[in-house]
C-alpha cells in the first residue's frame, strides 16, 4: 500500500491525529524516533484503519504516495528544525511538509521560504482542540501555498470538526498565516479563561457562593448567550470534589497558573504591530503574578479593604453581563491584531472564515462565533467588532452591570484585571478626546518630539526653553 499521508512524531497529539486520519479512510504512514511508540499505536489501534508503520525515516518516506504529504508532530523550535533537516533530502519537488505543532509564525515563515526554494511546499498548520479534538475533530488552520492546500485540504477537512455540515478547517493564507491565527486563538483563550476565573472569584468572595453553587450558575449560563466549551467545562471543574479530602477540587489545587508561551507571543507581536490587546496582556500578566509564589507570600500582609459582601442575586446577573461584554472585547482585540497582520505580512486572512472554523473543535468554540461570522460576512470592513450593530447593542445593554462589577470588586479588594482592562478599552474607544494630547506636550517639552494640531495641518514644536513660540518642524 501507498499511504495518503504520513505522521512523524507519535506522542499523544500526533498519535490521535493519525488515528483520526485512519478512522476517516486514509492510509496513514507512521514514524517515531522511538520505535516503541509506533509499535504500541499499531498494536492497540491498528483495527481502526490502515496504518503503515516504518522503522526509519527513509522507509517512512518511501511508503508515501506522491506528492508526499508528511505531518510533523514534534516539539516546536529546534526539534522541528531537526526533523525537517533530516526529512527534506528524502523528498522531491511538489511534496508537502506540514507542521502541526504550536510553532512561532516567524519560524514558519522562515521554513516556508527555505523549502519553497527547493520546490517543496511547507504548510504551517494550527490545530486546536487538545487531545480529544485531535482524535474526534479539531479546528484546523493551515497556512502555506494555495497549491499545497488543493491536495492537502480535502484530507484535513475530512478529519476536522463540523458545525452545520461545514468543516472547521479552511485555507488561512500564505506562509505563516495559519500559525499566526492559531497564536491569536490561544491569546483569546488566555483572556477568556482569565475572565471566567474573575467571574468565579467575584461570585465566590463578593457573593458568598460556594463552588457547587457556582457550578450550577455556570451550567445555567451555558444554556444562553455565554454558551461555550470553556463555560461548559468550568461547571465540571467547579462541581468536582477531591476524593482524598472531600473538599472542592478548586480548593486543593495550587493557585499558580502555568503557560506554554503562545499567549506571551500574542502580546509581544501585538506590541510590534501597535495593536492594544489589553485583555490578552492582562491574562498573561495574571498568570505570571500567580506563579510568583514567593513574592505573593512576602506581600500577603499588605493592607487592603475590610471586605464585605454584595447582593448575590443581583451580582450573578451583573457578572454574567460583564463576562459577556469583556469576552466581546477580547475577541475584538484579537481580530484587530489579525487585520494588522494582514497589512504587515501581505496576508488576506478572512475574519468570517476564522469565526466559522472556530465554531467547533477548538478551545474557544462558542455560540456567539455565529454572530461574529455574520458581523464579518461578505468581507465587511468593520473598524472594530464592537461596531457591529448586534454587539454594539449587547455591550451597551451590559455596560451598567459591567461597571458595577468592576466597582464592587475594587471596593472589596478583589482583583479583576480582565474585567477592568476590557472596560477601560471600551471607554477609551468611545471617547472623542483622550489625554494623549498632554503626553504629546510632555514629549515635545523634554525631547522635542514634536506634535500635530487639531486646527492646522503639519508637524510643530514649541520652543519651551526660549520664548515658547511655535515653529514648524
Amino acid at each position: 500500500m501507498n499511504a495518503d499521508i504520513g505522521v512523524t512524531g507519535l506522542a499523544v497529539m500526533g498519535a490521535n491525529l493519525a488515528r483520526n486520519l485512519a478512522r476517516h479512510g486514509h492510509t496513514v504512514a507512521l514514524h517515531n524516533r522511538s520505535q516503541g511508540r509506533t509499535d504500541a499505536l499499531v498494536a492497540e489501534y491498528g483495527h481502526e484503519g490502515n496504518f503503515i508503520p516504518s522503522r526509519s525515516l527513509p522507509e517512512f518516506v518511501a511508503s508515501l504516495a506522491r506528492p508526499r504529504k508528511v505531518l510533523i508532530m514534534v516539539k516546536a523550535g529546534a526539534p522541528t528544525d531537526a526533523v525537517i533537516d533530516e526529512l527534506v533530502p528524502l523528498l522531491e519537488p511538489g511534496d508537502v511538509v506540514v507542521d502541526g505543532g504550536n510553532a512561532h509564525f516567524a519560524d514558519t515563515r522562515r521554513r516556508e521560504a527555505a523549502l519553497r526554494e527547493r520546490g517543496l511546499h511547507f504548510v504551517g498548520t494550527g490545530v486546536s482542540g487538545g487531545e480529544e479534538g485531535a482524535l474526534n475533530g479539531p479546528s484546523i488552520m493551515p497556512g502555506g501555498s494555495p497549491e499545497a492546500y488543493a491536495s492537502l485540504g480535502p484530507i484535513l477537512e475530512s478529519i476536522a470538526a463540523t458545525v452545520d455540515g461545514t468543516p472547521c478547517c479552511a485555507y488561512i493564507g500564505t506562509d505563516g498565516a495559519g500559525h499566526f491565527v492559531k497564536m491569536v486563538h490561544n491569546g483569546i483563550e488566555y483572556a477568556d479563561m482569565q475572565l471566567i476565573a474573575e467571574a468565579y472569584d467575584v461570585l465566590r468572595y463578593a457573593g458568598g457562593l460556594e463552588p457547587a453553587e457556582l457550578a450550577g450558575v455556570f451550567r445555567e449560563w451555558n444554556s444562553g448567550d455565554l454558551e461555550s466549551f470553556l463555560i461548559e467545562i468550568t461547571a465540571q471543574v467547579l462541581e468536582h470534589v477531591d476524593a482524598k479530602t472531600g473538599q472542592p477540587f478548586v480548593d486543593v489545587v495550587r493557585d499558580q497558573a502555568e503557560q506554554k508561551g503562545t499567549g506571551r507571543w500574542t502580546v509581544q507581536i501585538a506590541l510590534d504591530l501597535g495593536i492594544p490587546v489589553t485583555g490578552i496582556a492582562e491574562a498573561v500578566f495574571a498568570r505570571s503574578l500567580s506563579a510568583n509564589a514567593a513574592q505573593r507570600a512576602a506581600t500577603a500582609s499588605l493592607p487592603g479593604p475590610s471586605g464585605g459582601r454584595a447582593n448575590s442575586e443581583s451580582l450573578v446577573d451583573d457578572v454574567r453581563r460583564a463576562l459577556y461584554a469583556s469576552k466581546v472585547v477580547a475577541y475584538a482585540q484579537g481580530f484587530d491584531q489579525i487585520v494588522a497582520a494582514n497589512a504587515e505580512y501581505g496576508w488576506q486572512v478572512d475574519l468570517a472564515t476564522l469565526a466559522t472554523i472556530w465554531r467547533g473543535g477548538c478551545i474557544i468554540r462558542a455560540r456567539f462565533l455565529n454572530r461574529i461570522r455574520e458581523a464579518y460576512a461578505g468581507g465587511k470592513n468593520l473598524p472594530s467588532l464592537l461596531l457591529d450593530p448586534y454587539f454594539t447593542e449587547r455591550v451597551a445593554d451590559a455596560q451598567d452591570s459591567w461597571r458595577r462589577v468592576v466597582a464592587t470588586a475594587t471596593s472589596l479588594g478583589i482583583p479583576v484585571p480582565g474585567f477592568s482592562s476590557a472596560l477601560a478599552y471600551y471607554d477609551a474607544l468611545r471617547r472623542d478626546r483622550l489625554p494623549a494630547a498632554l503626553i504629546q506636550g510632555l514629549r515635545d517639552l523634554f525631547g522635542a518630539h514634536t506634535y500635530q494640531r487639531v486646527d492646522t495641518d503639519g508637524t510643530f514644536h514649541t520652543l519651551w526653553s526660549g520664548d515658547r513660540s511655535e515653529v514648524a518642524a
Side-chain angles (χ1 to χ4, degrees), residues 229-242:
F229 173 69
L230 285 172
I231 294 291
E232 175 188 345
I233 65 173
T234 297
Q236 296 177 26
V237 172
L238 288 173
E239 72 182 357
H240 184 55
V241 175
D242 177 56

Side-chain angles (χ1 to χ4, degrees), residues 118-136:
R118 304 185 64 153
L120 301 172
H121 297 286
F122 187 78
V123 179
T125 300
V127 180
S128 179
E131 299 172 10
E132 182 179 347
L135 181 61
N136 297 314

Side-chain angles (χ1 to χ4, degrees), residues 20-59:
N20 191 351
L21 286 160
R23 287 177 173 185
H24 284 85
H26 304 291
T27 299
V28 185
L30 302 174
H31 173 263
N32 195 77
R33 287 189 180 276
S34 169
Q35 185 63 34
R37 280 189 171 168
T38 305
D39 295 340
L41 191 154
V42 174
E44 188 169 359
Y45 302 109
H47 64 280
E48 293 184 338
N50 294 322
F51 295 106
I52 304 178
S54 58
R55 296 186 174 274
S56 69
L57 207 55
E59 181 184 341

Side-chain angles (χ1 to χ4, degrees), residues 55-87:
R55 296 186 174 274
S56 69
L57 207 55
E59 181 184 341
F60 170 72
V61 171
S63 70
L64 293 166
R66 299 179 184 176
R68 302 176 182 92
K69 303 171 190 65
V70 180
L71 173 58
I72 300 173
M73 293 299 298
V74 301
K75 188 176 181 181
T80 299
D81 281 324
V83 172
I84 292 172
D85 290 344
E86 188 178 356
L87 179 65

Side-chain angles (χ1 to χ4, degrees), residues 293-449:
Q295 184 186 44
R296 291 170 57 208
T299 56
S301 61
L302 289 173
S306 57
R309 290 281 171 84
N311 183 300
S312 60
E313 184 176 343
S314 59
L315 186 64
V316 168
D317 191 56
D318 279 348
V319 170
R320 176 184 64 80
R321 292 167 179 265
L323 178 57
Y324 184 92
S326 299
K327 281 163 66 76
V328 173
V329 167
Y331 278 79
Q333 293 178 347
F335 277 84
D336 285 350
Q337 185 169 0
I338 292 167
V339 170
N342 277 345
E344 178 70 18
Y345 302 112
W347 298 331
Q348 294 181 333
V349 178
D350 184 77
L351 303 184
T353 296
L354 277 189
T356 298
I357 68 172
W358 285 352
R359 294 180 304 159
C362 70
I363 303 302
I364 65 171
R365 59 187 185 265
R367 176 190 290 189
F368 78 171
L369 279 160
N370 280 311
R371 293 289 187 176
I372 295 178
R373 180 180 65 162
E374 292 172 6
Y376 290 111
K380 290 179 188 172
N381 185 22
L382 291 172
S384 168
L385 178 63
L386 290 161
L387 289 177
D388 173 72
Y390 176 82
F391 287 113
T392 299
E393 181 180 345
R394 293 305 310 278
V395 173
D397 181 61
Q399 71 164 310
D400 288 344
S401 293
W402 198 4
R403 298 180 193 283
R404 282 194 295 269
V405 168
V406 172
T408 297
T410 302
S411 68
L412 297 178
I414 300 172
V416 285
F419 283 157
S420 57
S421 68
L423 180 58
Y425 175 84
Y426 175 77
D427 281 339
L429 278 185
R430 65 182 189 80
R431 284 284 297 276
D432 61 348
R433 189 160 175 81
L434 293 169
L438 176 58
I439 294 172
Q440 283 298 87
L442 296 172
R443 293 179 71 248
D444 189 59
L445 190 152
F446 69 68
H449 292 298

Side-chain angles (χ1 to χ4, degrees), residues 100 171 223 246 257 441 447:
Y171 176 64
S223 65

